[in-house]
Amino acid sequence: MTFDGIFTHYIVKELNENILNGRINKIYQVSNYELVFVVRANQKTSKLLLSINPNYARIHITEEDYTNPQEPPMFCMLLRKHLEGGLIINITQKDNDRIIEFQIEHINEIGDKEVRKLIVEIMGKHSNIILVNNETDMIIDSIKHVSPFLNSFRTLQPGAVYVYPPTSNKINFFKATKEDYYNLNYSADLVKQLVDYFEGISPLCAKEILHNAIINPEGLYQSYLSFIETVEKNLIPCIIHTPQKDFFYLCHLKHLYGEIKTFKTLGEMLDRFYFNKETLERIKQQTQDLEKFIKNEYDKYINKLNNLETDLMIANDALIYKTYGDLIIANSYDLEKGKTSLRTINYEDDKEITIELDPLLTPLENAKKYYSRYQKAKKAIGHIEEQIMLTREEIAYFEVLLEQMQNASLNDALEIRQELEVGGYLKKQLTKQRKSKKPQYEHYVIDNTDIYVGKNNLQNEYITHKLANKNDYFMHVKDMPGSHVIIKNEGKLTENIIRGAAKLAAYYSKGRMSSSVPVDYTLVKHVKKVHGSKLGYVTYDNQKTIYIDPDEDFIHRLKKI
């Protein structure tokens, strides 16, 4: 985890520069793991994200928009009672650990000033957010409760005294001396020693210090001083894309080789690094039953197709029964009742063949028996081929839904559920009837031109057949599941607009992780619904094709416009 104590040190510095002495206007709990504080400070409004997600725990100023639940959870209500309207009078880090403390001055119901302490522990799966009485250190509540039965050292639940996580008496990284580096064992694992010896340093940071060092006490100490000077004087938050995985840190890590993207602030970098990751995970938690249903239906139809293709192969093999019947008739002059087989030359390939006979039947009756099997197989083939066609359509349909679920917002997922209910795949939920709302498609602007993206079949249907005019442009990735993209054509279609819209079409498709994705585009008047097909299915002609690389950075920038 690169959100180490050193990174926390500079996050606290950034928070102090932006929201210290700010007033907390609103508090939202957007999920079980995430809180957003809206803070007014320095004549601007900032959003502070506090996340204790086991995989994405962090705290920073965010520019992202988060969907707020209709009813706030109990912990959110409690924070509103104690903190909303309060002033952030202090922001500190506990030693060099991943613990950030906010002191917030608030006026209670009877008009008295109170100071509450909000403690954010960024510790992976053990992360937590705790509200504490500043005078007594008594816990008012925490977002996750830890009973004394689970942890005998510290209890995190209302009424308990707050105790810091156990420390291992490490040396504060920023207060290390040359003597500390002489105490290391240079014949052992130095990365592990640095992490175990100094508080707040991660393996990633330790590797960077070692990478730039002459491996002796003096060399390592000088590398340490150089690292601190770099981040103090030239703090450049960056993301490093390596072939193995992506990393983020306070500065360029020279021991990592890959594409580097720099950012102005730590908050901006974290927004970019976690762009869509946490949102998609949160949505998956809320819609996992729907995704599981779609996956099960997809697998069911895949198995059905395999069985049908086996049946078709068997039925096609049975077509030879007509040949058997013909050969029996042709050789009937030499057959007598009671024979169990006929050995003859198959006139179709001039090879000898053995045909089994029922000794109790006459040659004519044996021939009729094979003709009957042939007719039955012939009818079965027509039925099986029809079922294969329908099954392939269902597979394609659920493949599209699976792809749509990958980038679905909560609203997109609800619309997909609605589509499945209308299609009879799911039972309609017993809810109060509401007026049907128009689908909530994505809207982007490139060079003052409106571009609309449908992220599910309801949205695709709406933007293509209701929102778009016949002279607008339609885009779709070639020969794979993807979103409909509509470009409002106002007579100023430029190459930049076409390429931008194509990037949207490629990103919101199955080709998202590919390069040089083919994207077709044509006028909407050349796009036709497929009669009797699923919602959102179309055919089109007169198209041109552009090859484009999906670009997540481009999508991220567009969302900010």
Side-chain angles (χ1 to χ4, degrees), residues 448-546:
N448 297 318
T449 297
D450 293 315
I451 298 175
Y452 303 103
V453 180
K455 292 173 66 182
N456 59 43
N457 293 331
L458 284 172
Q459 295 175 16
N460 287 339
E461 181 84 7
Y462 182 84
I463 67 170
T464 302
H465 301 296
K466 293 186 179 179
L467 182 66
N469 297 319
K470 66 179 182 178
N471 290 320
D472 293 336
Y473 276 88
F474 168 90
M475 273 193 170
H476 195 282
V477 287
K478 187 179 182 68
D479 299 330
M480 70 177 79
S483 294
H484 292 197
V485 175
I486 297 296
I487 307 171
K488 296 301 288 183
N489 184 17
E490 298 175 358
K492 50 182 179 182
L493 193 64
T494 63
E495 181 181 353
N496 189 50
I497 294 171
I498 293 172
R499 293 184 64 82
K503 286 181 181 180
L504 287 167
Y507 180 78
Y508 289 109
S509 78
K510 194 173 182 179
R512 185 183 312 109
M513 305 305 294
S514 306
S515 60
S516 195
V517 176
V519 178
D520 290 337
Y521 63 101
T522 187
L523 289 172
V524 170
K525 66 183 178 182
H526 298 308
V527 180
K528 308 297 180 187
K529 288 185 180 182
V530 178
H531 179 69
S533 67
K534 304 290 185 184
L535 194 69
Y537 276 48
V538 296
T539 59
Y540 52 84
D541 52 29
N542 294 299
Q543 71 271 20
K544 296 180 180 178
T545 304
I546 180 174

Side-chain angles (χ1 to χ4, degrees), residues 309-326:
E309 288 178 339
T310 300
D311 292 342
L312 181 62
M313 184 174 63
I314 293 171
N316 278 319
D317 289 344
L319 293 180
I320 199 170
Y321 291 147
K322 181 179 183 299
T323 303
Y324 287 1
D326 292 343

Side-chain angles (χ1 to χ4, degrees), residues 417-431:
R417 181 184 291 276
Q418 178 186 341
E419 178 186 339
L420 290 169
E421 288 174 357
V422 172
Y425 295 98
L426 286 173
K427 287 185 178 180
K428 291 187 177 181
Q429 295 182 339
L430 297 175
T431 55

Side-chain angles (χ1 to χ4, degrees), residues 18-79:
N18 284 276
I19 61 172
L20 185 63
N21 298 319
R23 186 176 300 277
I24 301 172
N25 289 335
K26 291 289 182 182
I27 299 175
Y28 301 104
Q29 185 172 342
V30 297
S31 75
N32 293 336
Y33 297 131
E34 299 158 295
L35 290 165
V36 174
F37 285 35
V38 180
V39 182
R40 183 69 181 175
N42 303 322
Q43 298 183 333
K44 69 176 183 178
T45 300
S46 302
K47 287 182 290 186
L48 174 66
L49 173 69
L50 290 70
S51 173
I52 59 161
N53 186 295
N55 299 315
Y56 312 125
R58 64 198 190 279
I59 176 171
H60 61 95
I61 304 293
T62 181
E63 296 293 331
E64 294 294 324
D65 292 322
Y66 290 84
T67 303
N68 304 315
Q70 293 182 347
E71 295 185 9
M74 292 299 295
F75 186 68
C76 180
M77 295 286 284
L78 182 79
L79 292 182

Side-chain angles (χ1 to χ4, degrees), residues 146 307 345 400 424 474 500 545-546:
V146 179
N307 293 334
I345 299 298
V400 168
F474 168 90
T545 304
I546 180 174

